């Protein structure tokens, strides 16, 4: 059965990327990364992979998937942000940024975690906390200084 969704005010037929992220089936989502799709579905595909992997980040395979695809999402976000904002009227919260910053901090990659937060700030994103990404950067720096001795 054919399925349709609306993108940029147009009714379009869904593709493998849409079907995968709406199914939340990890193997299907990973396969669908090779599917050319519109920027909105690309964003939600990457986001759903990251969210699922983050919930299971204590599993080494999921942690690896999380790090790889969260970095990919952050790298691709400059091309996704405009169409996403146009489609939704504003940029939504993008948990990929705080999730990646958290895991990088857990792994001791403080400078990269801070850079992820800076990128989020540059996009005007909010992490849902009172202090936002600026506060997150300060917390990462404190942890970095404590571990440095």
């Amino acid at each position: 059965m054919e399925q349709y969704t609306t993108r940029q005010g147009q009714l379009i037929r869904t593709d493998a990327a849409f079907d995968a992220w709406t199914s939340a089936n990890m193997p299907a989502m990973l396969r669908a990364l090779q599917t050319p799709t519109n920027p909105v579905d690309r964003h939600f595909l990457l986001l759903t992979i990251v969210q699922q992997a983050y919930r299971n980040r204590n599993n080494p395979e999921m942690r690896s998937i999380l790090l790889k695809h969260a970095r990919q999402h952050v790298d691709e976000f400059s091309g996704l942000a405009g169409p996403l904002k146009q489609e939704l009227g504003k940029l939504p919260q993008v948990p990929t940024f705080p999730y990646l910053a958290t895991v990088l901090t857990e792994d001791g990659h403080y400078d990269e975690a801070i850079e992820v937060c800076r990128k989020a700030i540059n996009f005007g994103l909010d992490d849902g906390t009172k202090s936002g990404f600026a506060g997150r950067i300060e917390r990462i720096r404190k942890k970095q200084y404590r571990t440095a001795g």
Side-chain angles (χ1 to χ4, degrees), residues 117 121 125-139:
C117 294
I121 290 169
L125 296 174
D126 176 19
D127 71 352
T129 65
K130 262 188 185 178
S131 61
F133 283 103
R136 186 178 293 270
I137 289 171
E138 290 307 312
R139 291 188 298 277

Side-chain angles (χ1 to χ4, degrees), residues 45-106:
L45 176 62
L46 287 164
L47 177 62
T48 306
I49 290 168
V50 169
Q51 288 174 316
Q52 254 190 29
Y54 184 79
R55 283 193 293 274
N56 298 294
R57 71 186 184 276
N58 291 330
N59 172 316
E61 181 182 358
M62 286 294 115
R63 192 176 197 89
S64 176
I65 288 170
L66 167 66
L67 287 167
K68 177 181 180 182
H69 297 294
R71 284 176 173 133
Q72 181 179 5
H73 194 195
V74 168
D75 289 346
E76 290 183 19
F77 197 72
S78 62
L80 305 175
L84 196 59
K85 187 174 182 177
Q86 182 181 5
E87 185 76 23
L88 302 176
K90 66 176 186 164
L91 282 178
Q93 281 192 337
V94 183
T96 297
F97 287 86
Y99 290 173
L100 180 56
T102 296
V103 173
L104 290 169
T105 300
E106 290 172 354

Side-chain angles (χ1 to χ4, degrees), residues 15-52:
D15 58 20
F18 178 92
D19 296 341
W21 77 259
T22 57
S23 76
N25 176 291
M26 184 63 80
M29 290 189 295
L30 294 173
R31 283 191 306 273
L33 286 168
Q34 304 307 314
T35 301
T37 191
N38 65 76
V40 173
D41 289 323
R42 179 70 176 180
H43 163 75
F44 284 111
L45 176 62
L46 287 164
L47 177 62
T48 306
I49 290 168
V50 169
Q51 288 174 316
Q52 254 190 29

Side-chain angles (χ1 to χ4, degrees), residues 107-148:
D107 291 351
H109 301 288
Y110 305 110
D111 292 336
E112 187 180 355
I114 289 168
E115 184 58 29
V116 168
C117 294
R118 286 189 177 131
K119 287 179 180 179
I121 290 169
N122 289 339
F123 285 117
L125 296 174
D126 176 19
D127 71 352
T129 65
K130 262 188 185 178
S131 61
F133 283 103
R136 186 178 293 270
I137 289 171
E138 290 307 312
R139 291 188 298 277
I140 293 168
R141 282 194 176 124
K142 285 180 185 177
K143 186 167 187 169
Q144 183 178 25
Y145 295 139
R146 280 194 308 268
T147 58

